[in-house]
Amino acid sequence: MMNNIPQIPIVKWADEAVEYLRNNGQWFFEPIKDGLNFTTDFLSDALISIPPLIFILILVAFTVFITKKNWGISIFVLLGLALIENLGYWEDTMLTLSLIITSSLISIVIGIPLGILISRNKTMEKVITPILDFMQTMPAFVYLIPAVSFFGIGMVPGIIASVIFSMPPVVRLTNLGISEVSTELIEAADAFGSTPMQKLIKVQLPMAKNTIMAGINQTIMLSLSMVVIASMIGAEGLGVEVFRAVTRNQAGQGFASGLSVVILAIILDRLTQALNVQRHF
Amino acid sequence: MKKIEVRGLTKVFGRNPRLGVKLLNQGKTKKEILEKTGMTVGVNNASFEVNTGEIFVIMGLSGSGKSTLIRLINRLIEPSAGDVFIDGENLSKMNRNQLREIRRKKLGMVFQKFGLFPHRTILENAGYGLEVQGVDKEEIKEKAFEALKMVGLEGYESQYPDQLSGGMQQRVGLARALANDPDVLLMDEAFSALDPLIRKEMQDELIVLQSKMKKTILFITHDLDEALKLGDRIALMKDGIIVQIGTPEEIMTNPANEYVEKFVEDVDRSKVFSAQQVMIKPETIEAERHGPRVALQRMKKAGISSIYVVDKNQNLLGIITAEAASKAAQEGQKDVYAVLDKDVPIVGPDLPLNEVFDLIYDSPIPVAVVRDNKLIGIIIRSTVIAALARNGVKNDE
């Protein structure tokens, strides 16, 4: 019986949609591509131009300050970055960092307003939640195909794929954080005559700050997990080294470059978490 | 002069409030509507007026609709039907901007769980209402300081709410509501989350503050003792309906129905009655005319073991016991001045009965009720017990 139903041409539709957008959407994709190229180039050039020693010292000082003298993490930052430099992955790490910073910033800039929007509009929430589910569960490799179609190879499709894959947490947790603010505080804000905007800025966002920061942390971690995948379409950085080691069956190289990714991940994670625990916001 | 006027205020929670209102108008009860439509009646056709400078208490058990009612007043909850007038202006007909203006200028609110913003300092919390009005920073600071001072929180300005005890947090809540000097205070179970001692302290303080501020206060509580203590008038609510409105005295002495009566039965009468309501006429002797023998004779006749001594103007001089009187008589003394005991327990006529208790239990002699130094009555244990058991003792009993 199942054989009688003709195959639903999802493959064909998807192909045609991508084809159509590639042919007709360049007016839209082209400026994005240029803008992102400029941003990542600028960022990676800037990061690379800082001498490693200076960079390490600045970051360690920043860590000491932000973690309120948590020496364990500070020493880890010092030794971890020194190891990366020692292994010869400094430049790759800076390239990866600029990819993560760019894609995370885009995710945050789009994600937080989207989270705010769905926290105040239940219909929007019902529409957007399944899209977020889709974005997060679709195997990340799949995004590479249309990304290359629209943006060519290089950093930009990598950033776009990272944004799609890593944006959902910040949207979800912004929504959650705002929804969690207790009714009584919302009533208090209303009872004293706040406008919706005053309520958002003076009460809801400050109260939701920790939850939103947790979302940002997850978004950064997810975009880091896209580094290797993005390297398959020409995004420079540590991912390229890992990917090369895999294709050439070089266990040592793979471990060393993988270790650099881990060090970068731990530093980013601890620093964003440290931003979170500061008392009274 | 009436400040707040509420006419036919109704709230039905559910998918079709209009149908709910229609069913209520047809005389269906809350229970019938719930069974028939699944909708909950929060407040059913509430009407009352609150006068300027009055503390109007809305009292009911949980689920009686009192918290919904107070939120209908400032439209934190949108009414399904009915009108709320403040200074003759109909809030129910206002648009968002007009409503916000009224909330900013005329209505202050105090919440059960304080509703303080944890990320703001005490000063910033107190100044919130002014801040959203766009008042200039220095002025906010000044007025917030002023309000905090009024509730006795000087020196805590730069602390955060979680550094303060519950009672102090609610003082901040009160200061926040007072800072922009609104005419009307809405207090939603404001003291219910506090422990009994602090609660009493806050009640006393509210009374003191109110005597200076003369705000119009709408106070919600589930505690009848609190209602009787604070309220100039009390509205009793049940199942969303206001069952009785009256002064504490009216509610106590003349409960409108069984529900109110039941409430009143549970009341700690000791807080309702004052000393003068339970005192009885004292046996006395006049020091100028009567000696120990008269004293003894009167005590014997009345069956008592001590007697109060006054002068001819009824000024209280002291007490003599039967023992002291008979000793003086044997020694042939002509007056009682030598054996007079001046150390007697004294209370004012308006002292609540519960505060008379301690004196009574510690004292072997009756407690004297004194006004302007004159003895106007005495309280003995049996009259107190009678008052607690019944509706009080009249002076001539």
Side-chain angles (χ1 to χ4, degrees):
Chain A
M1 221 180 84
M2 290 292 280
N3 292 337
N4 295 337
I5 303 169
Q7 192 180 45
I8 300 166
I10 285 182
V11 174
K12 190 165 152 258
W13 289 341
D15 279 343
E16 281 174 3
V18 170
E19 189 64 25
Y20 177 83
L21 284 174
R22 185 165 65 163
N23 293 333
N24 298 289
Q26 284 309 318
W27 58 271
F28 178 69
F29 298 127
E30 208 53 51
I32 293 179
K33 186 179 165 184
D34 292 344
L36 287 179
N37 259 328
F38 176 79
T39 313
T40 43
D41 282 351
F42 178 80
L43 199 56
S44 52
D45 286 350
L47 289 174
I48 288 167
S49 72
I50 305 171
L53 186 64
I54 306 279
F55 186 97
I56 292 172
L57 288 178
I58 292 172
L59 200 65
V60 169
F62 179 70
T63 309
V64 171
F65 172 72
I66 205 83
T67 60
K68 303 225 167 77
K69 298 189 183 165
N70 184 328
W71 297 111
I73 297 175
S74 305
I75 290 168
F76 179 86
V77 171
L78 177 69
L79 296 181
L81 290 177
L83 180 63
I84 289 175
E85 161 67 1
N86 175 267
L87 291 171
Y89 291 127
W90 186 261
E91 201 160 307
D92 289 323
T93 304
M94 291 302 113
L95 286 165
T96 295
L97 194 57
S98 62
L99 184 142
I100 291 167
I101 291 173
T102 315
S103 73
S104 300
L105 279 180
I106 295 172
S107 296
I108 292 164
V109 166
I110 301 174
I112 290 180
L114 202 57
I116 293 169
L117 178 73
I118 66 177
S119 75
R120 7 187 78 201
N121 187 328
K122 291 299 135 192
T123 318
M124 286 304 281
E125 187 179 12
K126 280 184 190 133
V127 174
I128 288 179
T129 306
I131 299 177
L132 294 178
D133 294 338
F134 181 92
M135 283 161 70
Q136 256 187 317
T137 46
M138 175 67 89
F141 288 94
V142 177
Y143 298 131
L144 300 181
I145 309 163
V148 170
S149 287
F150 301 149
F151 299 103
I153 344 189
M155 277 295 215
V156 176
I159 291 169
I160 299 293
S162 293
V163 167
I164 296 172
F165 186 65
S166 65
M167 194 169 60
V170 76
V171 181
R172 282 187 214 279
L173 286 166
T174 301
N175 179 24
L176 178 70
I178 290 176
S179 313
E180 272 178 347
V181 178
S182 79
T183 329
E184 203 170 57
L185 291 188
I186 298 301
E187 283 187 336
D190 284 335
F192 287 99
S194 316
T195 62
M197 194 47 113
Q198 285 173 330
K199 187 165 64 178
L200 181 70
I201 289 176
K202 291 179 194 289
V203 179
Q204 289 171 309
L205 285 181
M207 297 291 301
K209 188 198 153 249
N210 279 356
T211 313
I212 296 174
M213 281 305 294
I216 290 175
N217 175 281
Q218 281 194 34
T219 288
I220 293 175
M221 292 300 109
L222 281 182
S223 74
L224 196 67
S225 75
M226 279 296 285
V227 162
V228 176
I229 295 169
S231 74
M232 294 165 68
I233 50 170
E236 299 164 278
L238 286 170
V240 176
E241 301 301 321
V242 176
F243 189 53
R244 187 182 296 143
V246 173
T247 51
R248 295 183 188 170
N249 197 20
Q250 295 168 321
Q253 280 291 329
F255 182 73
S257 49
L259 189 61
S260 302
V261 175
V262 171
I263 290 169
L264 189 59
I266 292 175
I267 293 173
L268 288 171
D269 180 60
R270 295 301 183 272
L271 286 185
T272 46
Q273 280 189 19
L275 280 172
N276 207 357
V277 291
Q278 284 177 326
R279 197 167 182 275
H280 293 310
F281 318 92
Chain B
M1 213 188 83
K2 65 190 172 200
K3 186 80 187 174
I4 308 173
E5 187 181 355
V6 172
R7 285 278 155 264
L9 206 54
T10 301
K11 177 67 188 181
V12 180
F13 295 101
R15 263 171 300 170
N16 190 351
R18 224 178 248 178
L19 173 71
V21 173
K22 211 174 126 196
L23 291 171
L24 282 174
N25 289 340
Q26 288 167 10
K28 297 273 191 295
T29 65
K30 176 175 175 162
K31 204 175 157 205
E32 285 167 341
I33 291 175
L34 181 66
E35 277 166 6
K36 201 174 160 193
T37 67
M39 291 191 291
T40 311
V41 177
V43 173
N44 181 0
N45 200 14
S47 298
F48 59 87
E49 287 166 12
V50 185
N51 299 319
T52 307
E54 185 179 39
I55 301 186
F56 188 84
V57 176
I58 298 170
M59 136 97 215
L61 299 177
S62 63
S64 62
K66 57 190 190 304
S67 283
T68 306
L69 179 55
I70 201 171
R71 282 168 175 71
L72 291 174
I73 306 267
N74 64 353
R75 278 177 62 188
L76 283 180
I77 298 176
E78 286 295 333
S80 308
D83 297 297
V84 177
F85 299 89
I86 290 178
D87 292 328
E89 288 183 288
N90 192 343
L91 264 68
S92 319
K93 297 273 186 294
M94 286 183 180
N95 65 29
R96 285 278 131 199
N97 289 334
Q98 292 168 316
L99 177 63
R100 198 174 297 132
E101 228 18 61
I102 289 278
R103 284 174 174 175
R104 286 176 173 183
K105 305 278 196 233
K106 288 196 178 168
L107 298 170
M109 191 160 182
V110 184
F111 295 85
Q112 181 173 8
K113 296 190 196 97
F114 322 138
L116 299 181
F117 304 121
H119 59 289
R120 299 177 142 246
T121 64
I122 299 310
L123 191 69
E124 287 166 346
N125 265 288
Y128 185 84
L130 294 162
E131 192 180 313
V132 295
Q133 292 182 36
V135 174
D136 138 291
K137 273 199 177 127
E138 278 308 306
E139 195 184 335
I140 295 177
K141 220 172 157 183
E142 203 176 293
K143 287 190 172 169
F145 255 111
E146 191 80 7
L148 287 170
K149 196 173 144 191
M150 202 151 42
V151 298
L153 275 184
E154 266 174 310
Y156 291 92
E157 292 86 3
S158 55
Q159 306 237 319
Y160 285 87
D162 63 1
Q163 293 170 289
L164 267 53
S165 68
M168 285 158 92
Q169 288 191 36
Q170 193 56 304
R171 283 166 196 267
V172 180
L174 194 55
R176 179 175 62 179
L178 293 175
N180 49 348
D181 196 26
D183 301 344
V184 176
L185 277 186
L186 303 174
M187 304 186 71
D188 178 28
E189 302 237 17
F191 304 147
S192 299
L194 305 174
D195 55 51
L197 276 178
I198 307 290
R199 188 199 290 201
K200 185 177 173 296
E201 196 182 302
M202 292 294 282
Q203 291 166 350
D204 293 339
E205 214 160 300
L206 182 67
I207 292 171
V208 173
L209 274 175
Q210 172 65 357
S211 67
K212 293 184 228 158
M213 306 182 305
K214 302 271 186 277
K215 302 280 181 200
T216 304
I217 302 179
L218 203 60
F219 194 102
I220 302 282
T221 182
H222 63 258
D223 176 358
L224 189 52
D225 288 335
E226 187 167 72
L228 294 168
K229 181 169 178 181
L230 296 177
D232 293 317
R233 284 189 303 144
I234 299 169
L236 268 136
M237 271 189 99
K238 189 199 178 201
D239 292 339
I241 300 171
I242 294 182
V243 272
Q244 185 176 6
I245 298 179
T247 63
E249 194 71 30
E250 284 164 5
I251 299 235
M252 287 296 291
T253 51
N254 193 11
N257 60 22
E258 225 174 283
Y259 175 75
V260 182
E261 204 166 337
K262 225 172 179 171
F263 246 121
V264 172
E265 270 174 20
D266 288 342
V267 164
D268 187 348
R269 289 179 190 274
S270 66
K271 291 181 188 167
V272 182
F273 292 117
S274 60
Q276 66 182 334
Q277 279 170 296
V278 297
M279 69 187 182
I280 55 172
K281 193 164 177 280
E283 286 292 332
T284 55
I285 56 166
E286 274 176 38
E288 292 94 337
R289 299 192 287 134
H290 303 136
R293 286 180 195 283
V294 178
L296 273 174
Q297 190 230 344
R298 288 205 176 162
M299 280 188 259
K300 196 177 164 193
K301 202 175 156 198
I304 51 179
S305 59
S306 59
I307 192 162
Y308 271 103
V309 183
V310 293
D311 65 14
K312 62 178 188 298
N313 296 322
Q314 290 295 305
N315 288 316
L316 178 63
L317 298 176
I319 196 167
I320 53 169
T321 60
E323 210 176 296
S326 69
K327 197 173 154 216
Q330 276 167 21
E331 288 170 4
Q333 293 181 26
K334 295 278 179 253
D335 56 43
V336 293
Y337 292 112
V339 288
L340 198 59
D341 182 1
K342 287 179 178 155
D343 183 24
V344 296
I346 293 173
V347 299
D350 297 320
L351 194 74
L353 194 50
N354 61 332
E355 290 176 37
V356 179
F357 281 159
D358 293 341
L359 279 173
I360 292 217
Y361 285 120
D362 288 345
S363 168
I365 52 177
V367 172
V369 182
V370 173
R371 182 192 287 136
D372 300 332
N373 213 20
K374 289 187 169 46
L375 182 68
I376 58 170
I378 60 169
I379 300 174
I380 58 174
R381 279 178 222 187
S382 62
T383 59
V384 173
I385 292 161
L388 295 180
R390 290 179 292 121
N391 270 337
V393 181
K394 295 288 175 282
N395 271 349
D396 54 2
E397 268 184 15

